[in-house]
Amino acid sequence: MNLNWKRPLFYCLLPILVFLAFVGFPPPFAPPQATKARQEQSVPADEKAERT
C-alpha cells in the first residue's frame, strides 16, 4: 500500500481550515481574565517603635 503523505495531512487539516473560513483568523476567543492584585505584606513593627 503506497500512501502519499500529502493526502492524510490535507484531511487532518481540512476541519481546521473550514473552521477558520467561518470565524476568521485569529479565532475570536475570549480574552483571559484579569489577575487580582496581590495583597500587600505588612512588615512587623519594631518593639522600640511601639514604645515611643
Side-chain angles (χ1 to χ4, degrees), residues 9-45:
L9 181 64
F10 173 74
Y11 286 117
C12 290
L13 295 178
L14 187 62
I16 298 170
L17 296 174
V18 170
F19 174 78
L20 290 178
F22 281 102
V23 300
F25 183 83
F29 294 127
Q33 293 182 350
T35 57
K36 294 181 180 177
R38 295 181 63 187
Q39 184 177 2
E40 291 186 15
Q41 299 293 326
S42 60
V43 178

Side-chain angles (χ1 to χ4, degrees), residues 1-8:
M1 190 173 200
N2 188 8
L3 288 178
N4 190 357
W5 64 272
K6 292 182 182 178
R7 187 176 302 262

